[in-house]
Amino acid sequence: MDDMDMDIPLPEELEFLESNSHFAEEQEQEEDHHYFFEELESRSPQPPPDLAVSPESESNGGHKRSRPNSPPEEEEKRAKARVAVKDNSSAADEDWLRYSPPQTEPAAEEPATLAMEKTLSRFASEIDGECMPITAPNGDRVYAKLNRFQGEERVAKLDCDGYSAELSSEPINVILERLEQEAFAKALEASSEGQSVAEVPEAQMVHERLWVDKYAPKSFTELLSDEQTNREVLLWLKQWDSIVFGSEIRSTSDDVLSSLKRHSSVVHNQKPLNSKFSRMNGGSKWSNGSRYINSRSMDEGGSSKSTQDVYNTKSRNIGPPEQKILLLCGPPGLGKTTLAHVAARHCGYHVVELNASDDRSTSTIEAKILDVVQMNSVLSDSRPKCLVVDEIDGALGDGKGAVEVLLKMISAERKPDAGKQNLGKGQTERKSTKKRSKTASLSRPVICICNDLYAPALRPLRQVAKVHIFVQPTVCRVVNRLTYICNKEGMKASAVALTALAEYTECDIRSCLNTLQFLSKKKEALNVFDIGSQVVGQKDTSKNPLDIWKEIFHKRRTKKMERKYHRCKSFEFDSLYSLVSNRGDSDLILHGIHENVLQLNYHDPVMQKTVRCFNNLGVYDLMNQYIMHTQQMTLYVYLPLVAISVHHIVSQVQKPNIEWPKSHQRYRTMMMEKMDILNNWHHKIPPLIARHLSASSFVEDLISPLLHILSPSTIRPVSLQLLSDKEKDDIAQLVSTMVSYTITYKTVKSDVLPQTLKCEVADGLALSLVPPICDFINFKDYTSNHYVLSVPMKQVLVHEVEKHKILQGSIDKTGALAYGRDGVIETKTDIPLANTNHSTAVDMKTNEDQVNVVSRQLNANPTTVSSKLNSSKSSSEADSGKLLNMGNMKKTSRSSMSFFDRFRKVNVKGLQSDDKSLREEDTLKKDRHPLLFKFNEGFTNAVKRPVRIREFLS
Amino acid sequence: MLWVDKYRPKTLDHVMVHPDIAHNLKQLVTEQDCPHLLFYGPSGSGKKTLVMALLRQMFGPGAEKVKVENRTWKVDAGSRSIDIELTTLSSAIHIELSPSDAGFQDRYVVQEVIKEMAKNRPIDTKGKKGFKVLVLNDVDKLSREAQHSLRRTMEKYSSYCRLILCCNSSSRVTEAIRSRCLNVRINAPSEEQIVEVLEFIGKKEGLQLPPGFAARIAEKSNRNLRRAILSFETCRVQQYPFTNKQTIPPMDWEEYISEIAADILNEQSPKRLFQVRGKLYELLINCIPPEIILKRLLHELLRKLDAELKHEVCHWAAYYEHRMRLGQKAIFHIEAFVAKFMSIYKSFLIATFG
């Protein structure tokens, strides 16, 4: 229909719209009362008995909703406007303006200006479509709109009606009277016949189209979607004007733009306007696109140059939009596609749609897009094209081509943008066929539509496109539109029922309409219960879990809800149920509930609500476990009920503060880690001990005492030599414990480089237990009273443990070797930690400082050798100690010395007598293997002489 | 070595805590015929010690030469094949493993691995016994399916394979398995027995025990012999010679739970419950089994509770523990218990003090 009415909204119009929007609020309440009356009225002209003769009544018939009080204005208008045919639209236009009582005052003056501006204008550019200049009797020159497609018939009407001074053969009051009579008769008929009335339109409707198509918005003002989005889309499209239509054409004057902006910022409530806005005469085919050709030609003709110049100066600076692609996203059924089409047509584009049903492989799509975006059609319809790529998120596999091609074009655009606009394009093309080199940039608007903004295929597109997210229109707007449609279709529907429907479908207009159409076949008034029992209207979309939690913790309270308390309950139940079950991931939902429920501010003096909540959670856990265990998946339907009952217990009116549940996940992973540590440790402990323990007994019984035992406070942190025998025994005991449980100390940073290790040790950085059993008692907010050994002490222990291990290892190895040979030489490099005293040295020489030569036959010899060695060793130690007098180094060296001391002592003892002490047993074990050769690298300035291995062995 | 390991009795003759059971077992073994055995009892009562001593009695010292084997078994489960990693301890005549390590795949362990092991006759039968022994740990953690699979194995290969099952609670071992075994209940040692053991160790170590000191340790040990010996050694390490006033270091997690209990008794509100949740998670993270947390928590709460409430609180603790065992997410149920307790306690406080 007449898009041109609102084509270029002028500032005053917008203001007017705004003023109307204030009334809208008030009217809302009254509307319910109007419905019945309105319905009658709207139906009255439908059977055209005698009115059809006059052009006015024809037009009224066309607009099914024309009002009886419209003719006076029409008359008034006609006095000013000469072309009667055009008045169709403006008259219709005024219908909605005048419809509501409070609006009559603005309507009185507005129609004149509106009529002038819509179809007759002093500026050709304001007219949407073709126009022709007309000179009024008083000399004013205006441009009147031409209808190309109506053909001869209209032209004839133009002739007979438009130019005749007399508008109608009948005076307007006669027509008015007749209409009223008719309406009255209708009303009578309706009241007497009841149902049969409804059947009349039904019978007609059978052959009609889907309501969705039938009542699809055809003009910009009819759009139900969010006003701001609409306007921004329009604005974006308008910004293309300079490119597409050339900047000579006034695209949109600045004041309009600014008022557009201003307007879009105002929270807009146009429901009554929209709903009452008649969308009649779908047949009136005003060409809205052809105006550009026309106006361009007019431009060339130089007519009205003077007036246009004003605008040109203003619009020069408006370039193409920053982002070349518009990405609309939102849930289905909110009118994204409709908006794209309507807005594009509104701005004078020919819409070319590519959707998922088309072949979208790269090769085909490229040609297609190029065709659309760069070529001008040779057909009669030479409006520029606007590409609408629908369902672009469904683009998978081949379908990704669309995104790729678009991106390529944008990037091609970007590069030449830096330099000259058009010249550079050719060079950037890689493939550079002739066609492409000329046309590879995006010079027409492209609108992409998707449901899921975060679909992976769209990721690159998201960065370059201007993104608009569709939000649901308010329920009132949808309900108003639905009411209007119901009225038109002769369906009885209460506002409450329609509200319920809209809520059920989450304002998905498409599904609302489909549901309504379906329900209309039932031939009775629509009531709430129909909708409540209907599943047709329900959408199977899953929501973000955060939204679901919000729903669960948030109690909705609106006036209507309170009024219909009973209905509200069941509705709430249904919607929550579908919300949770559609999401599916009930585990996540329940964890969210679990973690957030205690943060709510519900009134709970003796914690009873909390107990009930947790009982519900427990029930969920049991059910879930049972289902998993018995594989009875049908029971899954009951899981969401837990969430609903929690909702009933704790939901609050105030907005909850939801956090994503992390702690359970954290607990699971950390427990796994610790379990791993335990198990590894368990496996490393020699079986003789480990077999008596289980992982749980570790944490329950073992770790706390073990930590105490491992860090005895009684041992003084002095060198081993200074300790008493008893203390040495203690240390030996400690070391054997550590070895049997495979515990040792390591620096916190497990660096491989001995250099850094050394530094850390020198700095006294922490040595920690490995495996990290300390962690098992490190509870949050808990301080254990475990004694921590000093660092030198730990170093001593590390050293001892290593030694012990080496000894054990050599025992094992010799045990494994056959005893055929005289001796076995084992060479081991000392571990870096034990080595620290030497590694600082400047001079790197081998020092065979720890040579343990034990063999049963060779018992006599080694003593001497080792004592010899020992003396050399001790002298070296003394020297090194003198050279680098660092405390801890001394200690370690002493500890290594003490080893030798012990070794000597034991050896001597071993020669003399066989004591049964533990220590001796230990060394006897050592004695069983023939030779231990320890190789140390490090500094010593002792007198050295080469010693052959043979000498040890002989 | 820790004293726990050092003074562990190696033979049935040396067993101090359950001499009667040891005697019976010895008789059983010497009479050549050994049935399947099911040892059950609380942890720290000496089950494994008895089992090892029994093995030694059966096979001599050879049973102590064990090697650890970490093997991956490939099991065909219907259409796919599953890899199961198991650690086994084995000697020439016995194999020891805990099938519940395989988690929910324990069924396959029982069906395939154990059957495989049981099938193979010991080659060297020149020893006295013509059978080998499978020691299965933690049988109560086996799933029901695994236990069902086990019972057939027990019957089929009983001629040359004996199973020794170990678990904490026989209630989660199916009737069928229990009836196929000789059930041996190992009680937790009485405090007197613990004192006896401690004094024995003290004598061996040459320590002076003040009178009543061992009894105090025994009392704190919750009749867990392992724990008693460990804390005995801890005391020794911390302070020697012993004094009667010496503190016996508590278990850290028990301390933590008593802190939680104090928190709960101080304030009852959802906010406090939220804090308690954090602490409960801490315990769970550190691998402390939820049942034990709940039990200990109840214990701590009961200590400071009015006698009137004790019955009710115990009832609810049992109720929630039952649900916890049926369910999967222990934290829900422990928290539910805490909430319930808070509710009971708070209404009690309001009723009493207004």
Tab-separated table of all heavy atoms in Angstrom, chain A residues 754-755 757-758 761 795 798-799 802 828-841 843-847 849-850 873 877 880 884 888-889 892-893 895-896 934-940:
chain	number	residue	atom	x	y	z
A	754	PRO	N	70.482	-26.899	37.330
A	754	PRO	CA	71.075	-26.915	38.662
A	754	PRO	C	71.447	-25.519	39.117
A	754	PRO	O	71.448	-25.232	40.309
A	754	PRO	CB	72.305	-27.800	38.505
A	754	PRO	CG	72.563	-27.887	37.054
A	754	PRO	CD	71.292	-27.613	36.354
A	755	GLN	N	71.731	-24.641	38.165
A	755	GLN	CA	72.133	-23.288	38.523
A	755	GLN	C	71.025	-22.608	39.324
A	755	GLN	O	71.244	-22.106	40.418
A	755	GLN	CB	72.404	-22.480	37.248
A	755	GLN	CG	73.488	-23.060	36.362
A	755	GLN	CD	74.866	-22.781	36.913
A	755	GLN	OE1	75.075	-21.749	37.532
A	755	GLN	NE2	75.794	-23.690	36.703
A	757	LEU	N	68.532	-23.961	40.700
A	757	LEU	CA	68.262	-24.729	41.901
A	757	LEU	C	69.161	-24.253	43.026
A	757	LEU	O	68.714	-23.986	44.136
A	757	LEU	CB	68.559	-26.204	41.632
A	757	LEU	CG	67.356	-27.103	41.391
A	757	LEU	CD1	67.831	-28.499	41.122
A	757	LEU	CD2	66.447	-27.048	42.585
A	758	LYS	N	70.391	-24.148	42.647
A	758	LYS	CA	71.383	-23.753	43.629
A	758	LYS	C	71.038	-22.383	44.205
A	758	LYS	O	71.057	-22.163	45.401
A	758	LYS	CB	72.750	-23.723	42.946
A	758	LYS	CG	73.834	-23.126	43.772
A	758	LYS	CD	74.993	-22.813	42.888
A	758	LYS	CE	74.646	-21.691	41.942
A	758	LYS	NZ	75.514	-21.673	40.766
A	761	VAL	N	68.244	-22.593	46.627
A	761	VAL	CA	68.637	-23.192	47.889
A	761	VAL	C	69.433	-22.187	48.694
A	761	VAL	O	69.234	-22.011	49.891
A	761	VAL	CB	69.466	-24.459	47.636
A	761	VAL	CG1	70.032	-24.969	48.945
A	761	VAL	CG2	68.584	-25.510	47.013
A	795	GLN	N	67.249	-29.775	53.906
A	795	GLN	CA	68.308	-30.138	52.966
A	795	GLN	C	69.056	-31.370	53.444
A	795	GLN	O	69.350	-32.271	52.665
A	795	GLN	CB	69.261	-28.966	52.789
A	795	GLN	CG	68.677	-27.870	51.937
A	795	GLN	CD	69.552	-26.651	51.917
A	795	GLN	OE1	70.494	-26.537	52.692
A	795	GLN	NE2	69.233	-25.732	51.028
A	798	VAL	N	66.896	-34.269	52.698
A	798	VAL	CA	66.906	-34.606	51.280
A	798	VAL	C	68.144	-35.416	50.953
A	798	VAL	O	68.088	-36.463	50.306
A	798	VAL	CB	66.877	-33.329	50.421
A	798	VAL	CG1	67.191	-33.658	48.981
A	798	VAL	CG2	65.540	-32.664	50.517
A	799	HIS	N	69.230	-34.911	51.475
A	799	HIS	CA	70.492	-35.582	51.203
A	799	HIS	C	70.468	-37.020	51.697
A	799	HIS	O	70.827	-37.954	50.989
A	799	HIS	CB	71.618	-34.809	51.888
A	799	HIS	CG	72.963	-35.174	51.411
A	799	HIS	ND1	73.608	-34.450	50.438
A	799	HIS	CD2	73.777	-36.187	51.741
A	799	HIS	CE1	74.764	-35.012	50.190
A	799	HIS	NE2	74.898	-36.072	50.969
A	802	GLU	N	68.248	-39.254	49.670
A	802	GLU	CA	68.853	-39.633	48.394
A	802	GLU	C	69.875	-40.736	48.584
A	802	GLU	O	69.915	-41.718	47.843
A	802	GLU	CB	69.526	-38.409	47.756
A	802	GLU	CG	68.555	-37.426	47.143
A	802	GLU	CD	67.654	-38.075	46.116
A	802	GLU	OE1	68.151	-38.939	45.352
A	802	GLU	OE2	66.450	-37.761	46.076
A	828	LYS	N	77.592	-43.299	40.069
A	828	LYS	CA	76.393	-42.453	40.086
A	828	LYS	C	76.825	-41.017	40.226
A	828	LYS	O	77.726	-40.697	41.007
A	828	LYS	CB	75.504	-42.813	41.274
A	828	LYS	CG	74.998	-44.214	41.218
A	828	LYS	CD	73.550	-44.237	41.629
A	828	LYS	CE	73.010	-45.627	41.414
A	828	LYS	NZ	71.574	-45.661	41.444
A	829	THR	N	76.230	-40.190	39.489
A	829	THR	CA	76.461	-38.773	39.738
A	829	THR	C	75.520	-38.356	40.850
A	829	THR	O	74.371	-38.767	40.909
A	829	THR	CB	76.151	-37.945	38.493
A	829	THR	OG1	74.930	-38.423	37.955
A	829	THR	CG2	77.246	-38.080	37.473
A	830	ASP	N	76.064	-37.560	41.671
A	830	ASP	CA	75.247	-37.114	42.786
A	830	ASP	C	74.140	-36.201	42.275
A	830	ASP	O	74.247	-35.573	41.233
A	830	ASP	CB	76.130	-36.358	43.763
A	830	ASP	CG	75.593	-36.506	45.166
A	830	ASP	OD1	74.453	-36.950	45.324
A	830	ASP	OD2	76.329	-36.170	46.083
A	831	ILE	N	73.090	-36.145	43.022
A	831	ILE	CA	72.031	-35.242	42.596
A	831	ILE	C	72.466	-33.818	42.861
A	831	ILE	O	73.278	-33.538	43.738
A	831	ILE	CB	70.710	-35.544	43.324
A	831	ILE	CG1	70.956	-35.422	44.838
A	831	ILE	CG2	70.178	-36.884	42.986
A	831	ILE	CD1	69.814	-34.834	45.543
A	832	PRO	N	71.907	-32.909	42.108
A	832	PRO	CA	72.374	-31.533	42.179
A	832	PRO	C	72.283	-30.949	43.581
A	832	PRO	O	73.127	-30.144	43.972
A	832	PRO	CB	71.432	-30.794	41.237
A	832	PRO	CG	70.709	-31.816	40.469
A	832	PRO	CD	70.914	-33.128	41.104
A	833	LEU	N	71.275	-31.332	44.319
A	833	LEU	CA	71.100	-30.732	45.629
A	833	LEU	C	72.259	-31.064	46.545
A	833	LEU	O	72.776	-30.216	47.249
A	833	LEU	CB	69.810	-31.247	46.246
A	833	LEU	CG	68.651	-30.294	46.136
A	833	LEU	CD1	67.439	-30.911	46.773
A	833	LEU	CD2	68.995	-28.972	46.760
A	834	ALA	N	72.631	-32.288	46.513
A	834	ALA	CA	73.724	-32.693	47.369
A	834	ALA	C	75.020	-32.067	46.903
A	834	ALA	O	76.011	-32.024	47.607
A	834	ALA	CB	73.859	-34.200	47.370
A	835	ASN	N	74.962	-31.591	45.726
A	835	ASN	CA	76.154	-31.129	45.056
A	835	ASN	C	76.445	-29.664	45.289
A	835	ASN	O	77.458	-29.162	44.859
A	835	ASN	CB	75.949	-31.353	43.555
A	835	ASN	CG	77.219	-31.747	42.899
A	835	ASN	OD1	78.233	-31.816	43.569
A	835	ASN	ND2	77.164	-31.983	41.610
A	836	THR	N	75.556	-29.001	45.900
A	836	THR	CA	75.627	-27.546	45.909
A	836	THR	C	76.915	-27.028	46.520
A	836	THR	O	77.384	-25.975	46.134
A	836	THR	CB	74.457	-26.958	46.689
A	836	THR	OG1	74.292	-27.742	47.867
A	836	THR	CG2	73.219	-26.966	45.855
A	837	ASN	N	77.444	-27.770	47.435
A	837	ASN	CA	78.652	-27.239	48.068
A	837	ASN	C	79.809	-27.178	47.093
A	837	ASN	O	80.696	-26.366	47.227
A	837	ASN	CB	79.021	-28.072	49.295
A	837	ASN	CG	79.063	-29.539	48.961
A	837	ASN	OD1	78.437	-29.936	47.986
A	837	ASN	ND2	79.793	-30.302	49.723
A	838	HIS	N	79.755	-28.037	46.108
A	838	HIS	CA	80.870	-28.034	45.167
A	838	HIS	C	80.590	-27.233	43.923
A	838	HIS	O	81.497	-26.707	43.318
A	838	HIS	CB	81.194	-29.469	44.755
A	838	HIS	CG	81.548	-30.325	45.932
A	838	HIS	ND1	82.623	-30.042	46.739
A	838	HIS	CD2	80.955	-31.425	46.433
A	838	HIS	CE1	82.682	-30.943	47.699
A	838	HIS	NE2	81.679	-31.797	47.537
A	839	SER	N	79.390	-27.191	43.562
A	839	SER	CA	79.113	-26.632	42.242
A	839	SER	C	79.366	-25.140	42.178
A	839	SER	O	79.450	-24.580	41.106
A	839	SER	CB	77.680	-26.941	41.825
A	839	SER	OG	76.832	-26.521	42.852
A	840	THR	N	79.461	-24.496	43.315
A	840	THR	CA	79.790	-23.076	43.283
A	840	THR	C	81.244	-22.852	42.905
A	840	THR	O	81.651	-21.752	42.601
A	840	THR	CB	79.555	-22.444	44.650
A	840	THR	OG1	79.994	-23.362	45.631
A	840	THR	CG2	78.094	-22.102	44.830
A	841	ALA	N	81.956	-23.903	42.960
A	841	ALA	CA	83.403	-23.759	42.795
A	841	ALA	C	83.784	-23.279	41.404
A	841	ALA	O	83.033	-23.414	40.454
A	841	ALA	CB	84.075	-25.075	43.058
A	843	ASP	N	86.670	-24.167	39.984
A	843	ASP	CA	87.442	-25.215	39.345
A	843	ASP	C	86.598	-26.480	39.278
A	843	ASP	O	86.123	-26.973	40.288
A	843	ASP	CB	88.689	-25.433	40.185
A	843	ASP	CG	89.666	-26.335	39.513
A	843	ASP	OD1	89.294	-26.939	38.493
A	843	ASP	OD2	90.792	-26.453	40.010
A	844	MET	N	86.446	-26.970	38.112
A	844	MET	CA	85.598	-28.143	37.977
A	844	MET	C	86.468	-29.382	37.806
A	844	MET	O	87.088	-29.583	36.769
A	844	MET	CB	84.673	-27.996	36.760
A	844	MET	CG	83.723	-26.816	36.861
A	844	MET	SD	82.331	-27.144	37.924
A	844	MET	CE	81.320	-28.081	36.807
A	845	LYS	N	86.537	-30.149	38.816
A	845	LYS	CA	87.342	-31.362	38.699
A	845	LYS	C	86.575	-32.511	39.300
A	845	LYS	O	85.750	-32.352	40.199
A	845	LYS	CB	88.668	-31.185	39.438
A	845	LYS	CG	89.597	-30.293	38.655
A	845	LYS	CD	90.896	-30.092	39.380
A	845	LYS	CE	91.755	-29.124	38.594
A	845	LYS	NZ	92.917	-28.704	39.372
A	846	THR	N	86.881	-33.610	38.839
A	846	THR	CA	86.204	-34.773	39.400
A	846	THR	C	86.793	-35.098	40.762
A	846	THR	O	87.991	-34.999	40.999
A	846	THR	CB	86.383	-35.986	38.485
A	846	THR	OG1	87.763	-36.095	38.212
A	846	THR	CG2	85.609	-35.834	37.210
A	847	ASN	N	85.940	-35.410	41.604
A	847	ASN	CA	86.376	-35.749	42.939
A	847	ASN	C	85.650	-37.015	43.371
A	847	ASN	O	84.439	-37.018	43.587
A	847	ASN	CB	86.045	-34.586	43.867
A	847	ASN	CG	86.465	-34.894	45.275
A	847	ASN	OD1	87.297	-35.765	45.486
A	847	ASN	ND2	85.881	-34.193	46.223
A	849	ASP	N	84.758	-38.544	45.811
A	849	ASP	CA	84.784	-38.321	47.248
A	849	ASP	C	84.004	-39.364	48.029
A	849	ASP	O	84.211	-39.537	49.219
A	849	ASP	CB	84.285	-36.922	47.570
A	849	ASP	CG	82.847	-36.758	47.180
A	849	ASP	OD1	82.375	-37.586	46.366
A	849	ASP	OD2	82.195	-35.838	47.660
A	850	GLN	N	83.105	-39.958	47.351
A	850	GLN	CA	82.344	-40.941	48.096
A	850	GLN	C	82.490	-42.293	47.444
A	850	GLN	O	81.788	-42.618	46.498
A	850	GLN	CB	80.871	-40.535	48.139
A	850	GLN	CG	80.668	-39.283	48.943
A	850	GLN	CD	79.202	-39.014	49.129
A	850	GLN	OE1	78.369	-39.757	48.641
A	850	GLN	NE2	78.903	-37.951	49.836
A	873	LYS	N	89.457	-36.249	51.488
A	873	LYS	CA	88.159	-35.595	51.369
A	873	LYS	C	87.988	-34.510	52.417
A	873	LYS	O	87.605	-33.374	52.118
A	873	LYS	CB	87.053	-36.661	51.524
A	873	LYS	CG	85.677	-36.111	51.629
A	873	LYS	CD	85.186	-35.766	50.251
A	873	LYS	CE	83.810	-35.142	50.226
A	873	LYS	NZ	83.039	-35.056	51.375
A	877	GLU	N	87.395	-30.650	52.028
A	877	GLU	CA	86.218	-29.983	52.577
A	877	GLU	C	86.621	-28.784	53.404
A	877	GLU	O	86.016	-27.718	53.311
A	877	GLU	CB	85.418	-30.957	53.434
A	877	GLU	CG	84.720	-32.045	52.672
A	877	GLU	CD	83.801	-31.468	51.627
A	877	GLU	OE1	83.212	-30.393	51.822
A	877	GLU	OE2	83.710	-32.080	50.571
A	880	SER	N	87.662	-26.016	51.105
A	880	SER	CA	86.515	-25.388	50.427
A	880	SER	C	85.715	-24.565	51.426
A	880	SER	O	85.227	-23.487	51.122
A	880	SER	CB	85.630	-26.452	49.778
A	880	SER	OG	84.913	-27.148	50.759
A	884	LEU	N	85.003	-20.684	50.724
A	884	LEU	CA	83.641	-20.170	50.602
A	884	LEU	C	82.924	-20.468	51.901
A	884	LEU	O	82.359	-21.544	52.087
A	884	LEU	CB	82.912	-20.846	49.442
A	884	LEU	CG	83.756	-21.175	48.211
A	884	LEU	CD1	83.256	-22.431	47.552
A	884	LEU	CD2	83.745	-19.996	47.258
A	888	ASN	N	75.255	-22.848	54.932
A	888	ASN	CA	74.524	-24.053	54.558
A	888	ASN	C	75.408	-24.997	53.764
A	888	ASN	O	75.250	-26.210	53.804
A	888	ASN	CB	73.265	-23.702	53.787
A	888	ASN	CG	73.567	-23.105	52.450
A	888	ASN	OD1	74.608	-22.471	52.291
A	888	ASN	ND2	72.671	-23.300	51.511
A	889	MET	N	76.338	-24.417	53.051
A	889	MET	CA	77.239	-25.265	52.292
A	889	MET	C	78.072	-26.099	53.240
A	889	MET	O	78.278	-27.281	53.034
A	889	MET	CB	78.153	-24.402	51.437
A	889	MET	CG	77.472	-23.968	50.159
A	889	MET	SD	78.296	-22.623	49.418
A	889	MET	CE	79.907	-23.288	49.291
A	892	THR	N	75.989	-28.958	54.506
A	892	THR	CA	75.828	-30.081	53.598
A	892	THR	C	77.119	-30.865	53.482
A	892	THR	O	77.109	-32.081	53.435
A	892	THR	CB	75.393	-29.609	52.200
A	892	THR	OG1	75.636	-28.229	52.102
A	892	THR	CG2	73.947	-29.933	51.968
A	893	SER	N	78.188	-30.097	53.460
A	893	SER	CA	79.443	-30.814	53.339
A	893	SER	C	79.657	-31.682	54.575
A	893	SER	O	80.093	-32.813	54.495
A	893	SER	CB	80.595	-29.835	53.172
A	893	SER	OG	80.703	-29.056	54.337
A	895	SER	N	77.375	-32.953	56.330
A	895	SER	CA	76.499	-34.116	56.289
A	895	SER	C	77.120	-35.204	55.421
A	895	SER	O	77.069	-36.380	55.750
A	895	SER	CB	75.125	-33.736	55.749
A	895	SER	OG	75.204	-33.547	54.366
A	896	SER	N	77.725	-34.741	54.333
A	896	SER	CA	78.357	-35.758	53.498
A	896	SER	C	79.546	-36.372	54.232
A	896	SER	O	79.834	-37.550	54.110
A	896	SER	CB	78.796	-35.150	52.165
A	896	SER	OG	79.804	-34.210	52.389
A	934	LYS	N	80.890	-43.400	43.959
A	934	LYS	CA	80.113	-42.180	43.780
A	934	LYS	C	80.978	-41.140	43.116
A	934	LYS	O	82.132	-40.942	43.497
A	934	LYS	CB	79.627	-41.670	45.119
A	934	LYS	CG	78.373	-40.865	44.963
A	934	LYS	CD	77.666	-40.752	46.277
A	934	LYS	CE	76.362	-40.015	46.075
A	934	LYS	NZ	75.728	-39.756	47.355
A	935	PHE	N	80.435	-40.530	42.146
A	935	PHE	CA	81.200	-39.622	41.329
A	935	PHE	C	80.693	-38.222	41.562
A	935	PHE	O	79.525	-37.918	41.349
A	935	PHE	CB	81.020	-40.038	39.862
A	935	PHE	CG	81.613	-39.076	38.894
A	935	PHE	CD1	82.982	-39.088	38.677
A	935	PHE	CD2	80.824	-38.187	38.211
A	935	PHE	CE1	83.526	-38.206	37.772
A	935	PHE	CE2	81.386	-37.316	37.311
A	935	PHE	CZ	82.731	-37.324	37.086
A	936	ASN	N	81.553	-37.369	42.029
A	936	ASN	CA	81.116	-36.008	42.297
A	936	ASN	C	81.926	-35.029	41.472
A	936	ASN	O	83.155	-35.091	41.434
A	936	ASN	CB	81.349	-35.692	43.763
A	936	ASN	CG	80.029	-35.635	44.507
A	936	ASN	OD1	78.975	-35.755	43.877
A	936	ASN	ND2	80.103	-35.479	45.793
A	937	GLU	N	81.192	-34.166	40.873
A	937	GLU	CA	81.899	-33.099	40.190
A	937	GLU	C	81.946	-31.908	41.115
A	937	GLU	O	80.981	-31.625	41.813
A	937	GLU	CB	81.142	-32.703	38.925
A	937	GLU	CG	81.630	-33.395	37.698
A	937	GLU	CD	80.915	-32.863	36.496
A	937	GLU	OE1	79.907	-32.179	36.651
A	937	GLU	OE2	81.398	-33.138	35.407
A	938	GLY	N	82.998	-31.209	41.119
A	938	GLY	CA	83.006	-30.032	41.963
A	938	GLY	C	84.413	-29.541	42.199
A	938	GLY	O	85.376	-30.013	41.599
A	939	PHE	N	84.430	-28.612	43.080
A	939	PHE	CA	85.698	-27.956	43.330
A	939	PHE	C	86.415	-28.597	44.506
A	939	PHE	O	85.817	-28.908	45.519
A	939	PHE	CB	85.452	-26.479	43.643
A	939	PHE	CG	86.645	-25.823	44.215
A	939	PHE	CD1	87.728	-25.495	43.435
A	939	PHE	CD2	86.686	-25.538	45.578
A	939	PHE	CE1	88.825	-24.887	43.978
A	939	PHE	CE2	87.796	-24.923	46.104
A	939	PHE	CZ	88.856	-24.599	45.313
A	940	THR	N	87.656	-28.796	44.357
A	940	THR	CA	88.481	-29.102	45.514
A	940	THR	C	89.909	-28.696	45.186
A	940	THR	O	90.362	-28.798	44.040
A	940	THR	CB	88.411	-30.583	45.892
A	940	THR	OG1	89.384	-30.819	46.901
A	940	THR	CG2	88.734	-31.477	44.712
